[in-house]
């Protein structure tokens, strides 16, 4: 593959594809249905031509998440006509629900903030994180075009961004890693910019407290507001921002709400339509080239034609039980994910029917989750704060609780008795820290106990009996943990050795802000299962976001970005925003490649 994206061969050229041999995992994923898939695609193409025409555009984008809307915004800026087709009755997908961290090295926001990043550092770090699973040209494409993506979005939408100072790269000790972090997030946006369209924004995973304007970077401090002066000051600042916005008559948005609304505002200004309630049924193929999408609109099938290309940004398959059972390790389910409920792998399956290769289907953007009633709670700070530890079904620790969340779940799957696991804390911990949205000292919802997500007891033996682990093992584990915590060291799992371990911790706890003993009854246990932000496997793409077959050849006219494509992060996770940063970047790359502008 050429190393210069500006000299890449034309779309469909075999010389523009990776030459590496396909992995056994990808072969097994695609071989079973490849022959039928090609036949089904040809047959579907013949019948689809007879469907009612719903319009013809240069570019058809499937999905209105960060990948899809960035792609559409970029296509429009290249003078191409474009439409976004969205399955849900709302726009924004999982991006709108998220904290909207964005990991893109060397972007203009970082450099303006004085972050000491360089292309060489970023390349060394990404290579060290993802290893050999991801072709070097895809890594280079992400790093080369990521900064331009942020610049482009700021120039063509009302979005502005802030550096998440102090949010460490997830492996800052690796070559090129930055302990102070590379992640950025959207700045505050006035939702009035969208007018009535704001009502169709997908709601957040967790709402911001009424009257406050909270950024992702604030949460680590708000969690500590009861015990830390800076935490109290940040909470007051969040309230002051909310009060000021209210006095101005604004509808303030932050995090994923800001990102999705800002991209949608950019599309509206560019005249790009977004069709809601329009799920993808299949891809349309003519003479071996993808030339449109078969969709359901107003209850009937129709064909939307694409003159130049189709970009699949329809998200992952986290809510497709059959796909999760087919590709992923057990136990797994659709009720532990926080991804958008419409993400059922439609775009991935449509590509597979055309013979597309799949990769990373066994993986997800994992994180420990508490299966509280209603929707699971994705655990970030709670498992890292001092005074808590994770034990498996044998009552023993098995992991560094403060490790990157995807690593914790990978370890859960590799350990024999770690699903479910249990987060063990004491009342001192509960008196000090916010837990989810429950203030310190306040009781947890009764429904948590009724569902088995939370347990409470006045002794460790009683707690062990309640959660079904051996009492002697739990007592021994907590005693050993307490002894080490008092010394501020963890020779067993090295909690606190990495700068990342200290992000969601309490700086007033010394000598190690990650570690504190459990001593004050009652004791608490929270059920931990393998949650996720979405799946990370999908259509295999090249450095130009073109979808590939198993033999490495390009499916002409078909592109993919975001969680519908196999992640450039491979089986790892470089830093906060490693989902959204590449999603936006490869959406940008796909649109520019279609326009012939790469």
């Amino acid at each position: 593959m050429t190393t210069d994206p500006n000299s890449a061969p034309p779309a469909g050229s075999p010389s523009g594809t990776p030459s590496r041999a396909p992995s056994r995992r990808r072969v097994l994923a695609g071989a079973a249905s490849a022959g039928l898939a090609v036949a089904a695609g040809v047959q579907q193409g013949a019948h689809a031509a007879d469907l009612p025409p719903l319009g013809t555009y240069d570019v058809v984008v499937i999905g209105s998440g960060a990948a899809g809307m960035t792609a559409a915004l970029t296509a429009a800026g290249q003078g191409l006509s474009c439409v976004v087709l969205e399955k849900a009755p709302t726009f924004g997908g999982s991006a709108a629900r998220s904290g909207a961290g964005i990991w893109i090295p060397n972007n203009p926001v970082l450099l303006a903030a004085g972050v000491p990043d360089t292309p060489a550092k970023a390349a060394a770090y990404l290579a060290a994180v993802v290893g050999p699973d991801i072709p070097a040209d895809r890594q280079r494409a992400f790093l080369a075009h990521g900064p331009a993506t942020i610049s482009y979005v700021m120039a063509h939408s009302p979005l502005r961004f802030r550096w998440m100072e102090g949010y460490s790269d997830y492996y800052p000790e690796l070559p090129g890693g930055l302990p102070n972090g590379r992640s950025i997030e959207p700045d505050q946006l006035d939702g009035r910019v969208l007018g009535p369209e704001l009502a169709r924004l997908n709601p957040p995973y967790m709402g911001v407290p009424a009257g406050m304007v909270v950024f992702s970077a604030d949460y680590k401090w708000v969690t500590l507001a009861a015990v830390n002066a800076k935490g109290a000051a940040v909470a007051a600042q969040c309230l002051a921002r909310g009060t000021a916005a209210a006095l101005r008559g604004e509808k303030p948005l932050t995090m994923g709400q800001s990102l999705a609304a800002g991209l949608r505002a950019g599309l509206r200004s560019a005249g790009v339509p977004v069709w809601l309630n329009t799920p993808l049924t299949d891809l349309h193929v003519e003479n071996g080239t993808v030339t449109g999408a078969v969709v359901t609109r107003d209850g009937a099938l129709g064909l939307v034609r694409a003159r130049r290309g189709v970009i699949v940004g329809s998200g992952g398959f986290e809510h497709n039980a059959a796909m999760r059972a087919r590709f992923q390790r057990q136990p797994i389910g659709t009720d532990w994910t926080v991804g958008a409920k419409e993400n059922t792998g439609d775009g991935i399956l449509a590509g597979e029917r055309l013979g597309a290769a799949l990769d990373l289907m066994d993986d997800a953007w994992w994180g420990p989750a508490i299966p509280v009633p209603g929707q699971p709670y994705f655990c970030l700070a709670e498992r890292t704060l001092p005074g808590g530890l994770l034990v498996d079904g044998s009552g023993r620790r098995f992991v560094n609780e403060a490790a990157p969340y995807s690593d914790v779940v990978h370890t859960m799957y590799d350990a024999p008795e770690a699903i479910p696991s249990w987060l063990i804390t004491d009342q001192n911990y509960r008196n000090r820290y916010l837990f989810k949205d429950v203030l310190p000292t306040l009781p947890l919802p009764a429904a948590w106990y009724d569902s088995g997500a939370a347990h409470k007891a006045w002794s460790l033996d009683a707690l062990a009996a309640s959660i079904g682990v051996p009492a002697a093992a739990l007592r021994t584990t907590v005693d050993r943990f307490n002894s080490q915590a008092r010394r501020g060291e963890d020779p067993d799992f090295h909690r606190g050795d990495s700068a990342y371990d200290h992000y969601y911790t309490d700086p007033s706890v010394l000598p190690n802000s990650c570690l504190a003993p459990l001593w004050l009854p009652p004791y608490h246990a929270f059920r931990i299962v393998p949650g996720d932000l979405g799946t990370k496997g999908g259509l295999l793409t090249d450095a130009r976001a073109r979808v590939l077959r198993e033999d490495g050849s390009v499916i002409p006219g078909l592109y993919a970005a975001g969680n519908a494509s196999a992640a450039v992060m491979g089986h790892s996770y470089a830093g906060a925003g490693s989902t959204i940063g590449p999603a936006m970047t490869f959406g940008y790359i796909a649109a520019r490649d279609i326009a012939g502008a790469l």
Side-chain angles (χ1 to χ4, degrees), residues 525-545:
F526 301 92
R527 183 181 177 90
I528 300 293
V529 296
D532 64 69
L533 302 171
T535 51
K536 68 170 10 180
L539 303 172
L540 185 65
T541 58
D542 66 6
R544 291 157 59 184

Side-chain angles (χ1 to χ4, degrees), residues 52-63:
L54 299 179
T56 300
Y57 299 83
D58 292 324
V59 180
V60 172
V61 175
I62 313 298

Side-chain angles (χ1 to χ4, degrees), residues 192-266:
R192 293 179 301 174
V193 71
L194 275 180
E197 190 68 14
L198 180 62
R200 288 178 278 277
L201 172 62
N202 200 22
Y205 156 61
M206 280 185 63
V208 171
M212 300 182 78
V213 172
V214 184
F215 296 107
S216 277
D218 294 332
Y219 267 109
K220 66 166 286 185
W221 295 110
V222 172
T223 298
L224 305 174
V227 295
N228 181 279
K230 182 172 181 179
V234 169
Q237 190 178 54
C238 294
L239 182 59
R241 286 193 209 110
T243 301
L247 290 173
R248 293 191 297 266
E250 295 178 358
K251 295 180 179 178
L253 304 174
T254 57
M255 297 182 278
Q257 296 287 280
S258 175
L259 178 63
L263 289 171
R264 181 67 185 89

